[in-house]
Amino acid sequence: MILTKKRLASFLALMILFSFLLLRPSIFGQLYTTIGLAIIAFVAVLSLIFFDRSNARPPDVWFFISLLVFWVFSLLFGVFGESNVVFLFKAVISNLLFVGALCFFVLCYKDISLLVVKYYIYSLSILGFSSAISFCLFLFGVGVPKLELMIVDTGYENPSLLLFPLSILYHDMHSGLLNVLRFQSVFRESGIAQAFYIWGGAVAYYCRMNNWVIIGLIFGVLMAFSTTGFAIFIFIIILIKLPAYLSKISGKLKMAAMFLGLLLFPILMALVGYLIAYIPYFGVVSKIETHAASINDRYPEIKSLSFFGSGLYSSSEVNSGIN
């Protein structure tokens, strides 16, 4: 079989996706960060060898600079704060090397970058459908033990479960009489998964991907069962759809719609605030009752923090890597 540039680009894109699985905030990032970085370095070397730099796009320098500013701030604050400086230096170096390698040596090639985004979004969509299937089976009386395929050791305090067909269970959530499953896809936890699913949904919409892909991404958002993620998801939909709607109406109607929107905005915000506070099971009031122990454990520590926090890696606890 002849190794064409197209096949090589597909191979490198798949290697990058595999490295994502081994890096934070993905599920195996706590255990296999070094392997993930090694794969990225390997991909960067192959890209330099087999692809013509003259055909490369200019790297996204401003994105890299913004990341550099964030990590320099985190490093300086951490050194003078309470951070574990050794862990922090490792995080700074690994993140800058990872993003730098992708920006300057890999994703500047259009053939590779488009495939990375395409494969990544397709993978998230498939896992979203899988989570929905597992959830439906659970609702129809198939217990978690029957759905369980294997225990997934993630290196964090609690292992995850791989459920049929290909769903990773974060935990089951009890709120009153309600018992639902929360899925984390291939990420450290459900809230992080929602962020990536919302991003994937926006990209899929603007790139006019198949509607089934978008439906799978929506399932991914819903199956994470995170209140904040739901609110952000609805807000993003409004931001996407509202300009398209306003662009289709005449000037006078547009002004009238904007005026009406300004009048209704306080009412809408009050309604949203009420729902956030009192919606059953997921509202703040319900969570105060169901998550009282968690809130009581964290409140004294949060209250004692400075304005900028305590710094990255300021704790030796197992889950401190996500703070």
Side-chain angles (χ1 to χ4, degrees), residues 17 45 49 91 105 120 181 186 195-196 198-199 205 212 219 284-285:
L17 291 189
V45 171
I49 294 173
F105 301 114
Y120 196 48
L181 304 182
V186 290
F196 280 88
I198 292 170
W199 164 81
Y205 175 81
W212 286 108
F219 279 145
V284 173
V285 174

Side-chain angles (χ1 to χ4, degrees), residues 129-286:
F129 275 114
S130 175
S131 298
I133 292 171
S134 301
F135 184 77
C136 289
L137 291 173
F138 177 76
L139 286 183
F140 283 104
V142 182
V144 171
K146 292 183 178 180
L147 292 172
E148 181 183 333
L149 299 178
M150 61 180 294
I151 297 175
V152 182
D153 182 13
T154 60
Y156 294 98
E157 185 174 3
N158 297 314
S160 300
L161 296 179
L162 179 64
L163 304 185
F164 175 85
L166 197 64
S167 313
I168 300 179
L169 177 66
Y170 185 47
H171 63 76
D172 58 333
M173 181 177 67
H174 298 270
S175 183
L177 299 176
L178 183 67
N179 182 22
V180 297
L181 304 182
R182 297 186 66 194
F183 295 95
Q184 63 193 89
S185 188
V186 290
F187 300 99
R188 161 66 185 90
E189 55 96 26
S190 297
I192 296 173
Q194 273 188 326
F196 280 88
Y197 272 107
I198 292 170
W199 164 81
V203 173
Y205 175 81
Y206 282 114
C207 292
R208 300 183 182 278
M209 291 185 176
N210 188 286
N211 287 336
W212 286 108
V213 175
I214 297 176
I215 291 172
L217 296 170
I218 293 173
F219 279 145
V221 174
L222 298 178
M223 293 299 101
F225 282 99
S226 175
T227 311
T228 305
F230 288 158
I232 294 173
F233 179 56
I234 294 172
F235 183 67
I236 293 296
I237 291 176
I238 294 173
L239 288 180
I240 290 174
K241 289 295 186 180
L242 186 60
Y245 171 75
L246 292 176
S247 65
K248 295 179 181 179
I249 60 178
S250 63
K252 291 183 178 180
L253 285 176
K254 187 181 296 185
M255 291 298 296
M258 294 177 65
F259 180 73
L260 183 62
L262 289 174
L263 290 178
L264 294 178
F265 183 76
I267 300 174
L268 179 62
M269 288 298 97
L271 178 62
V272 170
Y274 178 83
L275 291 175
I276 291 174
Y278 295 104
I279 188 170
Y281 306 116
F282 301 105
V284 173
V285 174
S286 293

Side-chain angles (χ1 to χ4, degrees), residues 12-37 39-40 98 102 116 119-120 123-124 127 152-156 162 166 168 184-189 192 196-197:
L12 295 181
L14 291 173
M15 291 294 290
I16 292 172
L17 291 189
F18 182 63
S19 73
F20 288 172
L21 191 64
L22 306 179
L23 294 167
R24 299 184 182 95
S26 295
I27 189 169
F28 297 116
Q30 185 78 350
L31 297 175
Y32 303 111
T33 296
T34 304
I35 298 175
L37 290 174
I39 292 174
I40 290 296
F98 168 65
L102 287 179
V116 169
Y119 292 164
Y120 196 48
S123 300
L124 291 178
L127 293 173
V152 182
D153 182 13
T154 60
Y156 294 98
L162 179 64
L166 197 64
I168 300 179
Q184 63 193 89
S185 188
V186 290
F187 300 99
R188 161 66 185 90
E189 55 96 26
I192 296 173
F196 280 88
Y197 272 107

